[in-house]
Amino acid sequence: MINLSYTEENYLKSIYHLSKGGKLDVSTNAIADYQKTKAASVTDMMKKLASKNVVDYQKYKGVNLSEKGKKEALVVIRKHRLWEVFLVEKMKFNWDEVHDVAEQLEHIKSPLLIKRLEEFLGYPKYDPHGDPIPDENGAYKAKPQVPINEVEIGQEGIVVAVKDSSSPFLQYLDKIGTYIGAKIKVMDKVNFDGSNEILIDNKRTISISKQVSENILISES
Amino acid sequence: MINLSYTEENYLKSIYHLSKGGKLDVSTNAIADYQKTKAASVTDMMKKLASKNVVDYQKYKGVNLSEKGKKEALVVIRKHRLWEVFLVEKMKFNWDEVHDVAEQLEHIKSPLLIKRLEEFLGYPKYDPHGDPIPDENGAYKAKPQVPINEVEIGQEGIVVAVKDSSSPFLQYLDKIGTYIGAKIKVMDKVNFDGSNEILIDNKRTISISKQVSENILISES
DNA sequence: TACATAATTTAGATTAATCTAAAAATATTT
DNA sequence: AAATATTTTTAGATTAATCTAAATTATGTA
Ligand SMILES: [Mn+2]
Ligand SMILES: [Mn+2]
Ligand SMILES: [Mn+2]
Ligand SMILES: [Mn+2]
């Protein structure tokens, strides 16, 4: 496709995520917050990306991805998630160790490598955090999923993804024995602080905070 | 170690190669030619690298690597060659397709990844072009090797490495059926143009130019 | 040794990405 | 609808890496 810099690719990826896949317009400040840069830098970059026709941008009105930009963003996301699978499946990384390295690897330019990597990994559909991997055409489908805090008492399901992929959160999940594929039953909900009592794999019952319960996604069964 | 930019790492690697592993001093122009930049750019960078204590540099006297710089260069070379093995062994790349991708991958920063990659590949000692892979401490040993043009008529050996790793050269070697491990016997040498008649794997006898014979390295047996 | 040639460094610009501070536009609240 | 607050853009700098052209230093040769 076009030649985008490392930085430009990261902006497109941010816009993709913030716009929920190109659906909403994204504000300058939202991008600045997300990337931990300043609004002025974002404005400059939006002009540049607009001139390359990868975003639609109008002063004071926010941006969104063009079709071309969406494709580019999806390629980067695809690469990120395939590399994460590689790191966990082949390099024996823990799921909390992969993100930072994948942030680097996602910018490697070699369509052949990605094709072969995907084949080597057996065409995985999800990354180690349960996020779907776009195919060559950018198509993907997320598993049906609900955050635990929205599940009724007595209901159960399987953990299919995590909303937060940060190391501290994933390490906490390791500690409480929660992982993609774990069976969760909601035993109780505390109105006062939104915390939840959950039964994990029919073994242990523990209490998780509201914040944690919002970030564990299960498929109800 | 220290934090070096992509660009700084490439300069250290160039100096390492041009100085034959830190033995000789390297001139500004030599670096500029090798990297296809301009001498003025090299001078600027040498000042910067000197201030980071990775090279010893004195105006008009050339540069060489400090101990620290040598270590950094060897880490990059180690990564480059391990990735090349990965691409050929696991990603089914041809040996002429790996260099450009390895130029990108060598800058990925993750000591854990390199450790695991090396283990995954079974601790290879040589890359797809026969070049030795430094270990964690930077130690390596090249196989004894002579370019074909320095071999006497009647002598034979095994191809252990190529001096030139460019795609056109490697594709030419593919065409004439030469590869790392091939058996070569020098049948004749033409004084006029320095070309050589060689017998490959006891099968075909062909004529190769002086330039080609200089770039195929064999171990005499 | 002196002159000519070659190599190297310096001076001054340029481009990409970033920032701070100030100005302008938009949104919210009386 | 004003006034106020928030958001966004512009103006002007900065840093890394690069370049061209000019100045300087070193080298080779007569
Ligand atoms: Mn990630
Ligand atoms: Mn992920
Ligand atoms: Mn190479
Ligand atoms: Mn190689």
Side-chain angles (χ1 to χ4, degrees):
Chain A
M1 315 222 177
I2 332 164
N3 245 31
L4 296 168
S5 72
Y6 181 106
T7 309
E8 290 167 338
E9 287 186 345
N10 281 335
Y11 271 95
L12 292 184
K13 206 169 42 129
S14 298
I15 298 169
Y16 186 88
H17 289 310
L18 291 167
S19 68
K20 309 274 176 197
K23 285 198 273 282
L24 320 167
D25 276 18
V26 181
S27 75
T28 301
N29 271 350
I31 297 169
D33 286 357
Y34 192 76
Q35 301 220 350
K36 283 168 192 148
T37 55
K38 295 295 146 75
S41 310
V42 175
T43 299
D44 284 348
M45 184 56 82
M46 290 313 107
K47 289 179 186 168
K48 199 176 169 198
L49 292 176
S51 83
K52 292 194 174 191
N53 296 309
V54 287
V55 301
D56 297 318
Y57 168 67
Q58 280 173 282
K59 267 191 193 179
Y60 298 102
K61 304 272 173 162
V63 273
N64 208 332
L65 298 170
S66 69
E67 271 312 304
K68 212 161 84 175
K70 199 163 151 182
K71 253 178 211 155
E72 295 286 351
L74 281 164
V75 171
V76 180
I77 291 165
R78 170 174 157 79
K79 290 194 279 184
H80 183 103
R81 293 179 181 167
L82 283 171
W83 280 117
E84 285 190 345
V85 173
F86 170 76
L87 293 171
V88 167
E89 299 289 319
K90 305 293 181 180
M91 298 289 107
K92 300 180 192 158
F93 275 54
N94 199 289
W95 67 339
D96 74 297
E97 299 175 309
V98 300
H99 183 76
D100 291 349
V101 185
E103 284 292 312
Q104 300 176 60
L105 287 164
E106 72 188 7
H107 302 290
I108 300 294
K109 289 189 163 63
S110 170
L112 179 60
L113 174 53
I114 295 311
K115 216 181 143 74
R116 295 281 168 81
L117 182 64
E118 185 181 33
E119 186 190 341
F120 183 67
L121 298 172
Y123 298 93
K125 294 277 164 290
Y126 301 94
D127 83 2
H129 313 105
D131 291 313
I133 300 175
D135 69 18
E136 272 189 315
N137 306 310
Y140 64 88
K141 214 170 132 211
K143 287 217 180 106
Q145 50 190 229
V146 205
I148 286 179
N149 66 306
E150 290 178 17
V151 174
E152 302 296 313
I153 293 172
Q155 294 295 96
E156 55 184 39
I158 302 293
V159 177
V160 291
V162 291
K163 204 176 263 175
D164 178 350
S165 294
S166 73
S167 210
F169 179 62
L170 298 177
Q171 280 172 18
Y172 171 76
L173 294 187
D174 283 345
K175 208 180 81 174
I176 65 174
T178 301
Y179 55 95
I180 305 287
K183 188 175 168 189
I184 301 285
K185 182 170 185 178
V186 178
M187 308 304 285
D188 200 8
K189 314 186 69 152
V190 179
N191 271 329
F192 172 64
D193 62 358
S195 66
N196 294 262
E197 295 256 305
I198 59 171
L199 173 64
I200 304 170
D201 282 337
N202 293 321
K203 284 205 281 268
R204 267 162 308 182
T205 301
I206 61 158
S207 170
I208 56 173
S209 70
K210 179 164 191 274
Q211 203 195 336
V212 167
S213 69
E214 287 167 346
N215 283 294
I216 302 175
L217 305 169
I218 70 174
S219 75
E220 285 183 278
S221 49
Chain B
M1 314 222 176
I2 332 163
N3 245 30
L4 297 168
S5 72
Y6 181 106
T7 310
E8 289 167 338
E9 288 187 344
N10 281 336
Y11 271 95
L12 292 184
K13 205 169 41 124
S14 298
I15 298 168
Y16 186 88
H17 290 309
L18 291 167
S19 68
K20 308 276 176 192
K23 285 197 273 282
L24 320 167
D25 277 18
V26 181
S27 74
T28 301
N29 272 349
I31 298 169
D33 285 359
Y34 192 76
Q35 300 221 352
K36 283 166 193 153
T37 54
K38 293 297 146 73
S41 310
V42 174
T43 299
D44 284 348
M45 184 55 82
M46 291 312 107
K47 289 179 187 167
K48 199 176 169 197
L49 293 177
S51 82
K52 291 194 173 190
N53 296 310
V54 287
V55 300
D56 298 317
Y57 168 67
Q58 281 174 280
K59 268 192 195 178
Y60 297 102
K61 305 271 174 162
V63 273
N64 207 335
L65 298 171
S66 69
E67 271 312 305
K68 213 161 85 174
K70 199 162 147 182
K71 252 178 210 152
E72 295 286 352
L74 281 164
V75 171
V76 180
I77 291 166
R78 169 173 157 79
K79 289 194 280 184
H80 183 103
R81 292 180 182 166
L82 282 171
W83 280 117
E84 284 191 345
V85 173
F86 170 76
L87 293 171
V88 166
E89 299 289 319
K90 305 293 181 183
M91 297 291 107
K92 301 182 193 158
F93 275 55
N94 198 290
W95 68 338
D96 75 295
E97 299 175 309
V98 299
H99 184 75
D100 291 349
V101 186
E103 283 294 311
Q104 300 176 60
L105 287 163
E106 71 188 8
H107 302 290
I108 300 294
K109 289 189 161 65
S110 171
L112 179 61
L113 174 54
I114 295 309
K115 219 181 140 75
R116 295 282 168 80
L117 183 64
E118 185 181 33
E119 185 190 341
F120 184 67
L121 298 172
Y123 298 94
K125 293 276 164 291
Y126 301 94
D127 83 1
H129 313 104
D131 291 313
I133 300 174
D135 69 18
E136 271 188 315
N137 306 310
Y140 64 86
K141 213 169 132 216
K143 287 217 180 107
Q145 50 190 230
V146 204
I148 287 180
N149 66 304
E150 290 178 16
V151 175
E152 302 295 314
I153 293 172
Q155 294 296 96
E156 55 184 37
I158 302 295
V159 177
V160 291
V162 291
K163 204 176 262 174
D164 177 350
S165 293
S166 73
S167 210
F169 180 61
L170 299 177
Q171 280 172 19
Y172 171 75
L173 293 187
D174 283 345
K175 208 181 81 175
I176 65 174
T178 301
Y179 55 95
I180 305 288
K183 189 175 168 192
I184 301 285
K185 182 171 184 180
V186 177
M187 308 305 285
D188 199 8
K189 313 184 69 152
V190 179
N191 271 328
F192 172 66
D193 62 358
S195 67
N196 292 262
E197 294 257 304
I198 59 172
L199 173 64
I200 304 170
D201 283 337
N202 292 322
K203 283 205 280 266
R204 266 162 309 179
T205 300
I206 61 156
S207 169
I208 56 172
S209 70
K210 179 162 190 275
Q211 203 194 336
V212 167
S213 68
E214 287 167 348
N215 284 293
I216 303 175
L217 305 169
I218 70 174
S219 74
E220 284 183 279
S221 51

